[in-house]
Amino acid sequence: MNNKKEDKKVDVTNRQGSGSFYSTVVKDHFFHPKNFMEDETGYIADGIGMVGSPACGDVMRVWIKVDPKSERITDLKWKTFGCASAIAATSMMSVMVTENEGMTLDEARKLRPQDITFRLDGLPQRKIHCSVLGDKALRSAINDYLRKVGQTDRIEIEHGRIIDKVLKITDHDIEEAVLEGADTLEKVQDKTKVGTGDPSCIPEVEQLIRFYKEKYYGAE
Amino acid sequence: MRKNKQNVYLDHAATTPMDERVLKTMIPFFTEVYGNPSSLHAPGQQAHEAVSQARKTVAKLISAHEDEIVFTSGGTESDNLAILGVIKIGGADVKSRLGKDVIPHIISNELEHPAVLELLLVLQKRGEIELTLVKADKDGVLLAKNIAEEIKNNTILVSVMYANNEIGTIEPISDLGKLIIKNRKQTGLTYPLLHTDACQAAGYLDLNVEKLHVDLMTLNGGKIYGPKGVGALYIRRGVRLSAQVIGGGQERGLRSGTQNVPGIVGFAKALDLVQAKREKESARLEKLRDRLIEGLLKIPKSRLNGHAIKRLPNNVNISFMDIEGEAAMLYLDAKGVYCSTGSACASTSLDPSHVILALGMSYEAAHGSLRFTLGKSTTKADIDYVIKVLPPIVEQLRKISPVNLDMEYFSNGNKEKK
Ligand code: FES
């Protein structure tokens, strides 16, 4: 796959009226998941990543093999505990990362949940959050690989920026709340309590909510 | 729906298909008997007569008087009317007895349907009521004694469901009713009242309000092979409620709005049909239920949620460790088996089943829970089909899952991961 990020404007969140909760592509990957780790024994991975889900306590594991010369990901295996969207999104990610000789580490690192959702022909709105696990687990596997080969300077730690100084709530926390479906300040506060101790951050929080809403669900 | 192996509907607790006989009874009331029951002319009076007949039927089936039945738009509305309706008058009573600052107290439990539980939590948050939620045991059984012990001098209402919609556990309503009556005799007060939501019970259990000793009882049509969007609230004579829907004063002023005549007629017919058959049907389904439970518990790392015997004849709820219920449900869907799950992933709020958590079970147990609710159309062949198709699905999903937890992890007390 070429890694050019053209922002095709498609409504990836709305499948209402299609008669089925999930798209045909989602169903295909859900019922016939590609590249999942059937048997770990004997599999030698160059990097392993693991993440937990923001919303429903789900877990995902990703194993990658990397060609050290080209830095291409030649193989990706995964396991996930989650719903149909989570399984389909991980399966699709494994295809996207390994197709056409595989993505380079840099390309793979830039893979966004929206790219996966797009290839899945959309996910129902309240299932968008399931698709963010995959690329996170992938980046964590890439970091693991870089650590193993001693290129620690290239590791990119994903740390949040603190927004609420009292409760130490980061932009990531707000992003996750939006992904879990909180689309107003009130709902984000229900989940995170942001701004209750430090009301001065509320305008910034509102801005972030708008930003993430647009990022994941498209413009209003 | 055509019935074959690929069409095994096991979600009767969500809703039931309508009985053809019910539909037949309803049809004339759409086109022929179309009058407004409040109109005094002949078409109006015809409709009025049909509603009265339905009211008589429902009253008779639950051993009540006609004037004790109020028709509503379903279970949620009936629950809301029971609770909100009691608060105003009961609250005034509490204030006049105990002082202006005392708010009314309501006793319920964590297993209730959201139509009761969410409402009570909202009222508590607003500071309108004091709320006590009594704990059930690990099978979801409440003890009447434990509930009665929570009664205080400002308690106006006790609300406990007759049978649970998720795990099918049957609660001791009659025992609770007796204790409440005893309490009222001792204090000489008219409160607390006892409300029960009998939506899931109506097809299988005895609804005699005299034996149950209830003051308020919720019923609905959509779970008993009747129409959706119609239900009733039984209100014992002498119990005063304030109306929640205000308007033309229909239903003795307790529920304004032109009556849903076809719905009401269909609801009464449906209740009549299920109650007439309930003992036979219960006995038939119990056998199938136990066959399904036995068959599914052969799957490794599985556990029955709810009580084995104090259980609705049509309810099976089992947790499978290490898998997520929505995925399992959709794999079953593809095989033509329709069930539901308590997984967070399948709920709009992304919260796992509050009922399974209230049993003291872990999030993982709720995540991996599947509920099969049997019904009239369910056959032994259906059950055997599920027993055949589910094990490979669980196996496949366990292969995809990175989770591999010990059985002890089912319960909340043991949070140590492997
Ligand atoms: S993984 Fe829980 S909703 Fe998708």
Side-chain angles (χ1 to χ4, degrees), chain B residues 135-289:
Chain B
K135 286 228 175 309
D137 72 6
K138 63 175 195 342
D139 293 327
V141 181
L142 290 153
L143 284 181
K145 183 173 66 73
N146 289 356
I147 298 170
E149 271 167 10
E150 298 293 336
I151 297 175
K152 306 192 290 183
N153 56 7
N154 62 333
T155 309
I156 56 163
L157 182 69
V158 177
S159 182
V160 175
M161 69 207 314
Y162 196 174
N164 188 275
N165 52 313
E166 290 191 30
I167 55 172
T169 305
I170 300 167
E171 304 298 352
I173 302 302
S174 176
D175 292 349
L176 179 59
K178 280 184 210 147
L179 292 180
I180 288 173
I181 289 172
K182 199 169 131 201
N183 177 280
R184 289 198 298 235
K185 278 215 180 100
Q186 276 165 3
T187 58
L189 300 173
T190 38
Y191 296 101
L193 301 171
L194 174 59
H195 166 246
T196 192
D197 180 329
C199 290
Q200 297 292 337
Y204 308 103
L205 305 180
D206 188 353
L207 296 179
N208 184 323
V209 291
E210 291 310 321
K211 288 192 201 153
L212 288 171
H213 309 291
V214 292
D215 303 296
L216 297 153
M217 182 165 76
T218 294
L219 293 168
N220 84 346
K223 320 273 188 214
I224 53 169
Y225 308 95
K228 299 175 192 29
V230 58
L233 181 66
Y234 157 75
I235 306 166
R236 186 176 288 277
R237 275 184 185 168
V239 169
R240 287 170 61 221
L241 296 188
S242 61
Q244 301 304 314
V245 181
I246 319 277
Q250 289 88 344
E251 298 292 303
R252 293 188 296 121
L254 279 170
R255 205 279 184 177
S256 286
T258 300
Q259 285 96 337
N260 169 5
V261 181
I264 288 168
V265 168
F267 165 65
K269 177 75 181 174
L271 192 64
D272 193 17
L273 290 172
V274 292
Q275 280 285 310
K277 274 235 166 168
R278 74 175 173 82
E279 279 174 1
K280 244 177 113 184
E281 179 66 354
S282 292
R284 185 183 80 88
L285 288 182
E286 257 168 38
K287 273 195 212 116
L288 294 179
R289 173 196 72 188

Side-chain angles (χ1 to χ4, degrees), chain A residues 56 58 81-86 126-127 129-130, chain B residues 324 344-346 350 367:
Chain A
C56 36
D58 305 337
F81 176 90
C83 71
S85 305
R126 66 182 175 84
K127 291 291 186 179
H129 70 93
C130 316
Chain B
E324 190 282 312
C345 301
L350 292 175
H367 264 316

Side-chain angles (χ1 to χ4, degrees), chain A residues 75-205:
Chain A
D75 195 27
L76 187 154
K77 292 271 186 285
W78 57 272
K79 268 180 185 269
T80 192
F81 176 90
C83 71
S85 305
I87 291 174
T90 327
S91 171
M92 179 55 93
M93 177 191 77
S94 73
V95 169
M96 290 169 78
V97 170
T98 53
E99 70 193 351
N100 305 331
E101 266 131 63
M103 284 185 176
T104 63
L105 292 182
D106 285 337
E107 282 170 348
R109 201 135 63 177
K110 286 189 203 119
L111 185 71
R112 303 171 308 169
Q114 314 63 320
D115 304 327
I116 301 171
T117 314
F118 181 77
R119 279 279 294 268
L120 284 173
D121 206 7
L123 282 174
Q125 171 125 4
R126 66 182 175 84
K127 291 291 186 179
I128 297 277
H129 70 93
C130 316
S131 68
V132 302
L133 273 187
D135 64 308
K136 272 193 188 166
L138 174 61
R139 282 193 295 275
S140 134
I142 293 172
N143 283 342
D144 184 48
Y145 166 75
L146 293 172
R147 199 174 300 123
K148 277 185 183 150
V149 296
Q151 301 192 34
T152 37
D153 52 317
R154 288 179 64 200
I155 293 176
E156 282 177 21
I157 302 289
E158 299 182 42
H159 45 222
R161 187 165 55 87
I162 291 192
I163 307 293
D164 182 322
K165 292 179 195 68
V166 179
L167 294 173
K168 307 262 181 303
I169 290 167
T170 66
D171 51 351
H172 279 182
D173 298 324
I174 293 162
E175 181 173 10
E176 291 186 350
V178 173
L179 276 166
E180 287 167 33
D183 54 357
T184 61
L185 177 64
E186 210 197 344
K187 288 187 201 159
V188 170
Q189 284 185 317
D190 265 358
K191 286 190 189 286
T192 62
K193 306 275 171 291
V194 69
T196 44
D198 175 18
S200 69
C201 70
I202 286 184
E204 194 179 357
V205 174

Side-chain angles (χ1 to χ4, degrees), chain B residues 17-32:
Chain B
M18 203 156 74
D19 188 304
E20 298 277 351
R21 292 166 292 179
V22 172
L23 179 63
K24 263 204 202 105
T25 325
M26 287 170 71
I27 283 173
F29 295 93
F30 288 104
T31 48
E32 289 161 39

